[in-house]
Amino acid sequence: MGRLEGKAALITGAASGIGQATAQLMAKEGATVYLSDIREIEGEKAAQDIASEDGNANFLPLDVTQETAWEKAVEAIMEDTGHLDILVNNAGIPGAGVRIEDMELETWRHCTTICLDGVFLGVKHGIRAMRKGDGGSIINISSIAGKIGIPTSGNYCAAKGGVKLLTKTAALECANKEPRVRINSIHPGFIDTDLLAGAIQHRGPWFREFIEYNVPMAELGTARDIAEGIVYLASDAAKFVTGSELVIDGGYLAR
Ligand code: NAP
């Protein structure tokens, strides 16, 4: 028996990186997985790859900033399986690479709309859907940048810090209500994905050197490292865990 046998899971931003690795691992653990993303071609392909290895995977287009798109996606899953048990609010974009005094309001809003408003909409519609079944687990992907400030990432840090406290508030609102919905945040460190590659390219080679020098384990994490934490929080092994922060960062925040 897999750890997620019989569960239905929706993962945002699942066409690549952490979301894709999570979809792969959840399918291996027996879940019916709904990958979603704004990248439809890559998302379809990621779902087909899982299905070709006997996983139960489907793709749903979903821009997390659009409330009607959330309603449609959740409705499609409820029609298909009758329940939603796991939601991973993973879709995100990197910070601006610009100091606050030079940042345009549009740049600020672009990041906070996807990384914070998108999570709010997911939590809202996820709770509503899970209450129609046996409850469930929502995992919000924050960041180490949700716990500390990082120069030139003001929009990203603000959004990810917002995700941390949105998570705790939602967890408290749901903790003592049946059916129970658990809500936790994960705080990845520097993980080897397209998002980080883009941030290094934008900021310059000093950023990679900074990472390698400052991460105690002296390497980048993998998307699978984060997927393992997500699957734990999604599973019944975490049945007493809600409102918590799981840091997976090679020791970065321990300094
Ligand atoms: P990734 O490989 O770029 O995957 C993120 C996916 O989300 C991409 O396919 C992206 O499409 C998609 N996306 C962007 N805007 C969206 C929207 N409005 N609606 C739906 N999907 C959207 O990045 P990743 O590194 O796996 O990041 C996943 C999450 O982990 C993010 O929330 C990120 O902030 C967080 N995180 C990552 C790291 C790291 O070092 N990689 C560290 C801490 C936290 P586009 O490519 O078109 O934008």
Side-chain angles (χ1 to χ4, degrees):
M1 279 280 279
R3 288 180 285 172
L4 304 179
E5 212 68 49
K7 294 188 191 288
L10 170 60
I11 303 159
T12 68
S16 72
I18 293 169
Q20 184 181 13
T22 301
Q24 289 165 347
L25 187 57
M26 285 192 168
K28 280 208 178 86
E29 294 290 348
T32 298
V33 180
Y34 295 86
L35 296 89
S36 68
D37 207 287
I38 44 169
R39 288 185 179 265
E40 298 194 18
I41 294 167
E42 293 88 342
E44 292 275 11
K45 163 97 175 50
Q48 278 163 14
D49 287 349
I50 294 171
S52 71
E53 295 193 356
D54 293 333
N56 207 339
N58 311 273
F59 177 75
L60 293 170
L62 170 58
D63 177 342
V64 296
T65 65
Q66 302 301 315
E67 187 155 24
T68 48
W70 272 106
E71 287 164 349
K72 271 192 197 158
V74 169
E75 202 179 296
I77 295 170
M78 296 303 277
E79 270 175 20
D80 209 19
T81 65
H83 53 103
L84 175 66
D85 311 289
I86 300 163
L87 167 63
V88 185
N89 284 308
N90 167 76
I93 57 166
V98 176
R99 297 175 76 86
I100 289 165
E101 71 257 34
D102 300 322
M103 195 182 296
E104 299 294 337
L105 181 57
E106 195 187 333
T107 306
W108 167 270
R109 283 194 177 139
H110 181 54
C111 185
T112 57
T113 304
I114 295 170
C115 292
L116 181 56
D117 297 4
V119 176
F120 156 69
L121 289 172
V123 170
K124 173 179 168 179
H125 291 284
I127 292 170
R128 286 182 179 187
M130 287 173 184
R131 287 248 172 84
K132 291 180 185 153
D134 294 334
S137 172
I138 300 178
I139 298 110
N140 295 328
I141 307 307
S142 176
S143 170
I144 50 173
K147 292 174 70 68
I148 55 168
I150 299 182
T152 78
S153 287
N155 52 356
Y156 188 74
C157 290
K160 294 297 187 179
V163 167
K164 181 182 72 171
L165 289 182
L166 166 69
T167 300
K168 291 189 195 308
T169 303
L172 292 174
E173 289 176 0
C174 293
N176 203 15
K177 268 197 174 171
E178 294 293 338
R180 193 172 266 166
V181 179
R182 297 182 295 101
I183 306 157
N184 294 284
S185 57
I186 291 204
H187 300 261
F190 299 100
I191 310 301
D192 194 4
T193 67
D194 291 353
L195 182 143
L196 185 65
I200 291 171
Q201 198 178 22
H202 183 75
R203 286 173 168 78
W206 70 267
F207 191 47
R208 177 176 278 280
E209 284 163 27
F210 167 87
I211 295 169
E212 284 165 357
Y213 184 76
N214 284 289
V215 174
M217 285 187 167
E219 60 187 19
L220 299 182
T222 65
R224 175 67 182 251
D225 291 329
I226 308 305
E228 291 285 356
I230 295 172
V231 166
Y232 162 67
L233 288 172
S235 76
D236 294 340
K239 70 180 178 51
F240 197 52
V241 184
T242 197
S244 77
E245 300 165 30
L246 177 54
V247 175
I248 305 175
D249 69 345
Y252 185 78
L253 291 183
R255 294 161 311 145

